[in-house]
Amino acid sequence: MSRFTVTDLPLAGLKLIERQNLGDSRGFLSRMFCAEELGPAGWVKPVAQINLTVTARKGTVRGMHFQHPPHAEMKLVNCLRGAIRDVAVDLRAGSPTFLTWHAEELSAENRRSLLIPEGFAHGFQTLTDDCELLYLHSAPYASSAEGALNAQDPALGITWPFEITEMSERDRRHPHLTEEFTGLIS
């Protein structure tokens, strides 16, 4: 019996993962990751790093982050508390959906996760106060390979559901797209 329902999303390789709960009067068990079950969905590398983020205020935006090859990473983003609008942008050179974004609501209640393949930027906006996210990464963070897009870049046209209440100064300073950006090549 599979503990996950996997749905293909409009951007190739991007998947919505819904976790199934097994429960009774004591509570429930929810499998967060299984290499065997998520392999067919595209998770083909070991988990190299696990990170936890806590964001206090509704309307906060974090992102749009990515790692340049050869340190590109897959991410499995899980919302453990609260709710977020999770956004992935296709940065793969030559992709028919290059610079197209897709968003999904992830929450503690809907038990959905986003499996983001290599070659995507990722960010989110909190829909509630006190959001807690658990990220699984296929590669460790490499500061020399870090990259980011500006979440407010009109060229991306990301629609955020709320006015942005908070954003780090670092995220605000991320560059806007220029014609020189031709995508990530693996």
Side-chain angles (χ1 to χ4, degrees), residues 3-91:
R3 300 279 178 92
F4 304 100
T5 302
V6 178
T7 304
D8 292 326
L9 296 172
L11 307 180
L14 188 65
K15 309 282 185 183
L16 183 66
I17 310 294
E18 295 180 81
R19 299 184 308 274
Q20 309 302 313
N21 283 354
L22 294 178
D24 58 26
S25 62
R26 300 167 297 161
F28 68 87
L29 172 115
S30 181
R31 183 167 292 162
M32 299 300 290
F33 180 82
C34 176
E36 182 178 323
E37 290 186 53
L38 293 178
W43 191 280
V44 294
K45 296 184 176 182
V47 173
Q49 190 168 302
I50 300 172
N51 294 310
L52 178 73
T53 65
V54 175
T55 306
R57 281 186 65 201
K58 175 181 173 179
T60 300
V61 168
R62 291 180 181 246
M64 301 296 296
H65 307 131
F66 62 92
Q67 293 276 106
H68 288 277
H71 302 283
E73 62 184 349
M74 290 179 284
K75 292 181 183 177
L76 183 64
V77 182
N78 304 279
C79 186
L80 303 178
R81 184 171 36 143
I84 63 166
R85 179 176 178 139
D86 208 39
V87 178
V89 178
D90 187 351
L91 301 181

Side-chain angles (χ1 to χ4, degrees), residues 66-69 91-94 98 118-120 181-186:
F66 62 92
Q67 293 276 106
H68 288 277
L91 301 181
R92 300 170 295 183
F98 178 62
E118 294 177 358
F120 279 70
F181 184 76
T182 57
L184 301 178
I185 301 170
S186 21

Side-chain angles (χ1 to χ4, degrees), residues 10 12 14 22 36 44 49 56 73 80 88 98 113 115 131 144 146 170 176-178:
L14 188 65
L22 294 178
E36 182 178 323
V44 294
Q49 190 168 302
E73 62 184 349
L80 303 178
F98 178 62
S113 302
L115 192 154
C131 290
S144 62
E146 102 179 336
R170 182 172 175 241
H176 286 228
L177 289 169
T178 65

